[in-house]
């Protein structure tokens, strides 16, 4: 079955450490997105990519980095510069090309905790 | 003004009633709108999309759109306890080619 796989499900980060969250999709979608969700809050866009080897900053990109070397993969690195990384991280994908946009398919998420 | 405004709730309705979830948005250019359901601790799931003014029905769900008023709503008929979740309103910004999410309305359906 097609879908988006995020790993790991839970991740613990020590102070000053970089960590990478994995996101893989087999839906043949061009666009991929990373969102952060804090308790009781909405989704905030970190980075998005509409095509391989290209990506744009979202609303809260500081302290994060991404790469898009393959259509299927869009990993997110949370760097030590991100001072408050504890959150629920969601990866999503969608087709592109339509004037009205498309709904997103989300992965199951990664819960990151600073210890 | 927030780009997408939703009443955070919780909205509590008895089983079998109609639940009405409302959303207003600030971007007049938005052409399409999506509703997602998010169970506690889980990721969002797309349940409805609407592009034209008026109503769109899918099973027990009806989405309503009024672009002139910049208002979109989701009605859930015959509400069930399994509908208890947070519902996210998400307009698509064609100019920036991205979707903006509201903070969501928590719905609680009492058995």
């Amino acid at each position: 079955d097609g879908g988006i796989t995020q790993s790991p499900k839970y991740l613990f980060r020590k102070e000053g450490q970089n960590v990478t969250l994995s996101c893989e999709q087999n839906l043949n979608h061009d666009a991929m997105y990373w969102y952060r969700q804090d308790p009781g809050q909405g989704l905030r866009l970190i980075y998005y990519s509409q095509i391989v080897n290209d990506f744009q900053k979202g609303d809260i990109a500081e302290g994060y980095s991404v790469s898009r070397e393959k259509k299927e993969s869009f990993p997110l690195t949370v760097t030590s510069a991100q001072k408050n990384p504890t959150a629920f991280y969601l990866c999503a994908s969608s087709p592109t090309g339509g004037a009205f946009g498309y709904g997103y398919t989300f992965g199951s998420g990664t819960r990151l905790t600073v210890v | 003004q927030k780009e997408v405004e939703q009443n955070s709730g919780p909205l509590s309705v008895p089983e079998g009633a109609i639940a009405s979830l409302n959303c207003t948005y600030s971007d007049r250019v938005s052409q399409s709108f999506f509703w997602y359901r998010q169970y506690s601790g889980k990721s969002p799931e797309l349940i409805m999309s609407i592009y034209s003014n008026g109503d769109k029905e899918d099973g027990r769900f009806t989405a309503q759109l009024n672009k002139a008023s910049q208002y979109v709503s989701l009605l859930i008929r015959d509400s069930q306890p399994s509908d208890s979740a947070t519902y996210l309103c998400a307009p698509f910004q064609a100019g920036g080619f991205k979707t903006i999410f509201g903070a969501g309305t928590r719905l609680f359906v009492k058995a």
Side-chain angles (χ1 to χ4, degrees):
Chain A
D1 287 336
I4 297 183
T5 301
Q6 288 188 245
S7 62
K9 194 174 180 69
Y10 299 94
L11 186 59
F12 298 91
R13 192 194 93 166
K14 295 181 180 179
E15 295 282 351
Q17 189 178 46
N18 292 356
V19 293
T20 297
L21 283 59
S22 171
C23 179
E24 302 275 337
Q25 56 102 355
N26 60 4
L27 298 165
N28 200 34
H29 287 168
D30 286 314
M32 298 187 74
Y33 313 84
W34 274 105
Y35 285 89
R36 168 181 172 145
Q37 187 174 39
D38 294 281
Q41 307 276 328
L43 277 64
R44 291 186 290 168
L45 182 63
I46 304 173
Y47 270 98
Y48 64 105
S49 168
Q50 297 177 29
I51 195 169
V52 174
N53 292 322
D54 188 42
F55 49 83
Q56 287 78 41
K57 293 182 179 180
D59 302 316
I60 56 165
E62 185 174 349
Y64 300 97
S65 66
V66 293
S67 63
R68 187 85 188 276
E69 297 175 0
K70 298 187 302 181
K71 186 175 184 177
E72 301 79 17
S73 179
F74 192 40
L76 173 74
T77 296
V78 183
T79 74
S80 57
Q82 172 49 239
K83 297 306 178 187
N84 186 24
T86 295
F88 187 39
Y89 290 86
L90 289 159
C91 180
S93 72
S94 74
T96 57
F100 294 99
Y102 297 89
Y104 292 177
T105 300
F106 282 88
S108 58
T110 293
R111 292 195 181 278
L112 174 62
T113 304
V114 173
V115 296
Chain B
Q1 181 189 5
K2 290 183 180 178
E3 293 181 279
V4 183
E5 298 262 13
Q6 293 184 258
N7 188 324
S8 63
L11 172 65
S12 183
V13 301
E15 184 175 359
I18 296 175
S20 178
L21 307 167
N22 304 316
C23 172
T24 58
Y25 58 94
S26 61
D27 182 8
R28 290 188 172 275
V29 180
S30 292
Q31 291 293 320
S32 50
F33 304 85
F34 302 91
W35 283 97
Y36 292 81
R37 177 177 61 200
Q38 186 176 22
Y39 291 113
S40 181
K42 303 296 184 183
S43 59
E45 172 192 14
L46 178 67
I47 56 172
M48 285 287 286
S49 61
I50 186 166
Y51 310 111
S52 304
N53 282 328
D55 296 357
K56 178 182 177 182
E57 187 174 318
D58 184 0
R60 295 188 296 112
F61 298 102
T62 299
Q64 300 174 316
L65 175 61
N66 183 327
K67 293 183 181 180
S69 300
Q70 295 177 248
Y71 174 87
V72 58
S73 67
L74 179 70
L75 301 178
I76 306 175
R77 290 183 300 281
D78 187 25
S79 295
Q80 301 296 310
S82 59
D83 294 325
S84 298
T86 297
Y87 290 82
L88 307 175
C89 169
F92 174 72
Q93 291 187 331
F97 202 82
K98 58 182 180 178
T99 297
I100 304 297
F101 287 83
T105 298
R106 278 195 301 143
L107 172 66
F108 178 62
V109 181
K110 298 177 292 185

